[in-house]
Amino acid sequence: MPYKLTVNGRSTTVDVPADMPLLWVLRDVLNMKGTKFGCGIGACGACTVHVGGPAVRGCQTQISAVGAKEVKTIEGLSPDGSHPLQKAWLDLDVPQCGYCQAGQLMTAAALLASKPKPTDAEIDSAMTGNVCRCGTYLRIREAIHLAANGGRRA
């Protein structure tokens, strides 16, 4: 069945089954490889994207549930890496293996969109469920604070 989508500001139509996860539409149909497959059950956060603003798990979101809501992936966060979170991630050397980072960044971006100056507790709550097997959680929290402070260290 054809579905009209807006992904990162661009309109496209995909002809896929209604129950196909958004993750596979992005990766396999639209060839957008930034969103990662992690666990397939929505527990790790590697596949996090925005649908209509909020962060959702792409592996658990069926294409039929997207409707007219805009989809934003890591590729749409900024075309040149200039998003404050991307800059903070680099400034603080957050990534190690990097596999989870697209999901981490998309979750953090949704958090900052709803809470521009989050507390440690709000960051921890929002980021729960995004698994980093390298254990960079403290740097992730620090990078979110750095982005929230406009790149200025507190």
Side-chain angles (χ1 to χ4, degrees):
M1 177 169 190
Y3 292 91
K4 185 174 178 164
L5 299 174
T6 302
V7 180
N8 300 329
R10 292 188 178 149
S11 292
T12 189
T13 301
V14 295
D15 192 6
V16 297
D19 63 347
M20 180 179 260
L22 178 58
L23 171 65
W24 299 125
V25 171
L26 295 169
R27 289 186 57 82
D28 294 348
V29 178
L30 299 177
N31 200 31
M32 299 176 73
K33 305 299 187 189
T35 306
K36 303 298 183 205
F37 173 78
C39 65
I41 60 171
C44 75
C47 65
T48 301
V49 296
H50 298 174
V51 175
V56 301
R57 303 296 198 243
C59 72
Q60 297 295 295
T61 304
Q62 293 182 352
I63 190 66
S64 59
V66 173
K69 299 175 194 140
E70 172 143 7
V71 176
K72 185 183 286 187
T73 68
I74 189 69
E75 293 93 343
L77 200 54
S78 78
D80 59 0
S82 63
H83 189 280
L85 282 165
Q86 291 169 313
K87 288 179 174 183
W89 247 243
L90 292 174
D91 287 349
L92 296 174
D93 294 321
V94 171
Q96 285 188 22
C97 82
Y99 197 82
C100 71
Q101 296 307 305
Q104 299 279 3
L105 281 159
M106 295 308 290
T107 301
L111 168 64
L112 291 181
S114 66
K115 292 258 185 197
K117 299 282 186 184
T119 65
D120 282 351
E122 290 168 331
I123 291 170
D124 293 348
S125 176
M127 301 305 290
T128 295
N130 282 76
V131 178
C132 175
R133 59 185 170 196
C134 300
T136 65
Y137 300 110
L138 295 177
R139 288 194 308 236
I140 289 169
R141 184 193 304 144
E142 188 178 346
I144 293 169
H145 281 302
L146 182 61
N149 289 327
R152 294 178 310 280
R153 296 182 195 249

